[in-house]
């Protein structure tokens, strides 16, 4: 087995642009779930509208990329309002039902033949981020350190993505330590106590839902730009559960939890994938036990087993506090 290849793949995945995208989306989900106690099972819906806001604006209507970014952000605000206005006055499960349903409804709508002239239907849209890569200051070459190497294109994408993640992290850190942050954390613990102090729980929940949704849409934009393509089927409910896995792994209600969780999640997932394929190729694992096409499923099973052990021995996550897990969402 070539351990240098295995480690290289794991590190590349752990610090790559996809890990940054999921970290950004998880930061938004952390604001919803970790700080406010909102059960949002449709963060992928915000990623979807953000991605298509950029892609359709540029590819279908020929607008500049920055206009597409504004449209994507506006779409996420509108979606948050549509989801929050009828549900945030009710119990937490109503928001959970509405968000997971919205994600699937939007995915099916975007892939429908009716929407195909704008969204590309099941084929999606491609090559709309040329403007983003044209402004890259990094000369065309291959760059790296130790075992890891990136093309100039990937290095530009991951640099921008991680820069956005750091800015979002700084913003959340400032907010949660402000009076506004203290209110939303109080809402997570006891809504009735917050109401008794004259605060509008509904308004604070709505603000949290909108801000977290905007961060999710920015993640969707970065994923679309990095891939230079969007397809509705890439934004299924599994993405949201990946984000919850990342959040639980890093620690809910912690500023750096989503970053640590995303890096570890993608590094471990790729490590198991590469290690299993190398072991099969070297003959250490018989194809009768695990064949190459089955590696994708086995790696998720191994990560799932690790998550189960984490929940048994450290349910608060790597950075979390056990008190953060004592959530009574209402």
């Amino acid at each position: 087995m070539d351990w240098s290849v295995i480690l290289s793949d794991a590190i590349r995945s752990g610090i790559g642009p996809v890990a940054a995208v999921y970290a950004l989306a998880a930061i938004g989900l952390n604001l919803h779930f970790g700080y406010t106690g909102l059960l949002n099972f449709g963060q992928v819906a915000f990623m979807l509208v953000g991605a298509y806001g950029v892609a359709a604006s540029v590819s279908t209507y020929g607008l500049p990329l920055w206009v597409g970014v504004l449209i994507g952000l506006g779409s996420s605000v509108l979606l948050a309002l549509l989801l929050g206005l009828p549900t945030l006055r009710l119990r937490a499960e109503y928001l959970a039902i509405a968000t997971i349903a919205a994600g699937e409804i939007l995915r099916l709508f975007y892939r429908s033949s009716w929407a195909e002239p704008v969204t590309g239907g099941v084929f999606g849209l491609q090559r709309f981020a040329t403007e983003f890569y044209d402004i890259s200051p990094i000369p065309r070459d291959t760059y790296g350190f130790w075992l890891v190497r990136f093309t100039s294109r990937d290095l530009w994408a991951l640099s921008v993505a991680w820069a956005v993640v750091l800015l979002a992290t700084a913003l959340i850190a400032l907010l949660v330590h402000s009076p506004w942050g203290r209110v939303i954390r109080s809402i997570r613990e006891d809504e009735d106590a917050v109401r008794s102090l004259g605060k509008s729980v509904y308004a604070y929940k709505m603000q949290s839902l909108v801000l977290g949704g905007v961060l999710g849409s920015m993640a969707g934009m970065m994923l679309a730009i990095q891939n230079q393509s969007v397809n509705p089927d890439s934004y299924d409910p599994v993405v949201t559960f990946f984000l919850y896995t990342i959040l639980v792994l890093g620690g809910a209600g912690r500023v750096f939890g989503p970053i640590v969780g995303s890096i570890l999640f993608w590094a471990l997932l790729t490590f198991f994938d590469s290690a299993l394929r190398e072991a099969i190729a070297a003959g250490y694992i018989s194809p009768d036990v695990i064949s190459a096409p089955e590696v994708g499923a086995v790696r998720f099973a191994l990560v799932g087993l690790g998550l189960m052990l984490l929940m048994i021995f450290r349910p608060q996550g790597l950075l979390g506090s056990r008190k953060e897990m004592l959530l009574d969402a209402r």
Side-chain angles (χ1 to χ4, degrees):
M1 293 176 62
D2 191 344
W3 287 102
S4 64
V5 172
I6 296 172
L7 290 175
S8 172
D9 290 345
I11 296 171
R12 274 177 53 87
S13 183
I15 64 174
V18 174
V21 164
Y22 275 77
L24 183 59
I27 289 170
L29 187 60
N30 194 30
L31 181 62
H32 291 161
F33 176 74
Y35 288 111
T36 318
L38 300 177
L39 292 178
N40 171 18
F41 287 126
Q43 185 73 342
V44 69
F46 293 103
M47 297 175 68
L48 176 65
V49 297
Y52 270 95
V54 168
S57 299
V58 177
S59 184
T60 304
Y61 296 105
L63 298 173
L65 185 65
W66 66 270
V67 176
V69 169
L70 294 179
I71 291 174
L73 295 176
S75 299
S76 66
V77 172
L78 179 61
L79 177 61
L81 293 174
L82 290 174
L83 292 174
L85 287 173
T87 62
L88 289 181
R89 293 187 188 277
L90 306 174
R91 289 174 59 88
E93 53 264 30
Y94 290 98
L95 177 64
I97 294 168
T99 51
I100 196 169
E104 275 298 274
I105 291 169
L106 286 171
R107 183 181 70 84
L108 295 173
F109 171 75
Y110 276 62
R111 77 190 303 273
S112 67
S113 57
W114 187 85
E116 186 171 350
V118 176
T119 65
V122 295
F123 303 104
L125 300 170
Q126 294 81 33
R127 301 199 65 78
F128 46 80
T130 305
E131 187 178 341
F132 172 79
Y133 290 103
D134 285 345
I135 63 173
S136 171
I138 303 174
R140 289 190 177 183
D141 200 349
T142 302
Y143 302 86
F145 63 94
W146 193 36
L147 300 174
V148 184
R149 302 195 71 78
F150 292 99
T151 64
S152 56
R153 180 182 182 278
D154 287 340
L155 185 60
W156 172 237
L158 75 87
S159 298
V160 173
W162 280 114
V164 174
V165 168
L166 293 177
L167 288 174
T169 302
L171 174 64
I172 295 300
L174 291 173
L175 286 175
V176 298
H177 291 98
S178 69
W180 183 86
R182 288 192 285 274
V183 172
I184 64 168
R185 282 183 289 172
S186 300
I187 290 172
R188 178 194 64 197
E189 301 298 336
D190 192 337
E191 288 185 15
D192 294 332
V194 176
R195 287 194 185 94
S196 70
L197 296 174
K199 301 293 184 181
S200 173
V201 170
Y202 177 73
Y204 278 94
K205 281 185 173 182
M206 182 63 72
Q207 293 164 21
S208 176
L209 184 64
V210 169
L211 181 55
V214 166
L215 293 174
S217 72
M218 292 171 65
M221 294 177 206
M222 290 306 306
L223 184 61
I225 289 171
Q226 194 271 328
N227 292 330
Q228 274 273 46
S229 67
V230 289
N231 186 290
D233 292 332
S234 299
Y235 299 87
D236 60 15
V238 174
V239 174
T240 296
F241 292 104
F242 280 1
L243 296 175
Y244 269 104
T245 301
I246 288 168
L247 201 55
V248 171
L249 181 60
R254 285 292 178 266
V255 172
F256 292 103
I259 296 177
V260 173
S262 185
I263 292 172
L264 288 177
F265 176 77
W266 287 106
L268 288 173
L269 202 62
T270 306
F271 175 85
F272 286 130
D273 186 279
S274 297
L276 289 170
R277 294 186 189 278
E278 287 285 327
I280 292 171
Y284 294 119
I285 298 178
S286 170
D288 295 330
V289 178
I290 301 175
S291 62
E294 295 171 336
V295 168
V298 173
R299 64 174 183 163
F300 282 113
L302 291 173
V303 171
L305 177 62
L307 188 64
M308 289 171 60
L309 293 173
L310 180 70
M311 293 302 294
I312 293 171
F313 296 105
R314 191 173 173 81
Q316 67 269 36
L318 295 177
L319 302 182
S321 167
R322 196 172 184 86
K323 293 180 181 179
E324 303 291 346
M325 302 302 294
L326 302 177
L327 175 63
D328 179 20
R330 282 172 285 193

